[in-house]
Amino acid sequence: MKLASLKQGGRDGTLIVVSRDLTRAVRASDIATTLQAALENWDDTAPRLNALSEVLNAEGDWPQHFNAGEKPFDLDIAALAAPLPRAYEFVDGSAYLPHVERVRRARNAEVPASFYVDPLMYQATSAGFLGPHDPVLVTSEDYGIDLEAEVLVITDDVPMAVTPEQAASHIQLIGLLNDVSLRNLIPNELAKGFGFVQSKPRSALSPVFVTPDELGAAWLDSKVHLPLLSHINGVWFGAPEAGNDMQFSFAELVAHVAKTRPLGAGTIVGSGTIANQDTSLGASCLAEKRTLEVLDGGKPTTPFLKFGDCVRIEMLDRDGASIFGAIEQCVTQYNPAK
C-alpha cells in the first residue's frame, strides 16, 4: 500500500491511503489520524490500512462501510505534506562507499578500514520535513547548496540490540529523500569533531511512502534494486542503481543504530547519497560530480545550486511508473524577518 499526508490537521498532517497509480486517495481517519499514530500501533492499523488500499485500487463502486463513508478524491501531489511531517528520530547513513572513496581520494586521504565493516551514520534533524513540492529556503548561495538523492526506510518500534535479521522485520515503509546539504559550511563543522548542525537544514520527503511488498522483486535483501533518477533544471543528472554498491543493507543500518538503544516507531533511516562504481550512471549530489571533476581535471567546474534552480528526484518501476511520486523543489532565498 501507499500512504501520504495532507497539509491539514495540525503539524503531523492527515493520513491518507493513495492509489497505486498515484491519482486517487482516501482519508484514513477512522483507522489513524496521522501516519505517526498508525506506526505506533502498526500490528493493528496495517491490516486495516491495507484493506482500505485494496478497495481503493479495485474497480467498481466504493463500499459505504469503508472509512465512515469517506469517498476517494483526486490526488494533488503538490498539496501534500511530507508523509511524516516530523519524526521522533532521523538517522542518516553513508552506505555507498564509492562516494566516500572518491571524496577521500580527491583530497589524498585513505578510507579507514573500519568504514567497510562499520556503517558511517549521523543523527539528523527530524523536527520538521519539507513537503515534496516545498521550496528549499536558504539565506545565502555562498553556503554551497546541494541536493542529495537518497532512499529511506521507516521502522515500527525496534528493540535494542536487534540483529540485522531481526531488524529486517521492523522495516515497514520505504520512501525517498532529498537530504539538502550546505557544502561550504560542512568543513568547519566537521573540523570541530562533533558533527553536523548548521550545514544540514531540513530535508524533503517523497510524496508517498510504500510498504515493501509494493516494490515486488525490487525489494531484496533489505535493499531497493532500482535506479534513482535526478534532474536539475529539467536536465538529467543521474540514475545510479540503488541496489548496487550499497555496502550495508537497510537491515544492517537499522541494527547499527539500535545497538545501544531501542528505536521508536516512525524512526527514519537514510541510505546516504546513492553512488555507483559505474560513473556513467551519473550522480545523486553535486559534491559527487564535482569530486569526479577534481579527479579528472584537477578542479571542479560544476557550480552548486543557485536561487531559482529546481531539482526533481524520482524512482520508477520496471514498467516506467512512478512509485513514490516525485520530489520537485526549487531553491529560494530566505529573508529573515527584521
Side-chain angles (χ1 to χ4, degrees), residues 85-155:
R86 56 179 176 170
Y88 287 110
E89 191 157 14
F90 169 30
V91 185
D92 202 12
S94 189
Y96 293 88
L97 291 191
H99 174 72
V100 178
E101 291 166 348
R102 290 181 194 122
V103 170
R104 294 250 168 178
R105 191 162 77 248
R107 64 173 189 261
N108 297 315
E110 294 291 327
V111 177
S114 63
F115 281 25
Y116 294 92
V117 295
D118 193 34
L120 181 65
M121 304 190 78
Y122 74 95
Q123 196 83 37
T125 182
S126 61
F129 290 96
L130 302 175
H133 286 197
D134 290 347
V136 177
L137 298 175
V138 184
T139 55
S140 173
E141 292 177 343
D142 294 338
Y143 291 168
I145 309 162
D146 200 356
L147 75 156
E148 285 194 56
E150 304 185 19
V151 178
L152 59 82
V153 299
I154 300 91
T155 73

Side-chain angles (χ1 to χ4, degrees), residues 138-146 182-184 303-309 331-334:
V138 184
T139 55
S140 173
E141 292 177 343
D142 294 338
Y143 291 168
I145 309 162
D146 200 356
L182 304 178
R183 297 294 183 185
N184 293 340
F304 288 119
L305 297 173
K306 303 295 184 182
F307 297 140
D309 286 345
V331 180
T332 303
Q333 185 171 22
Y334 176 73

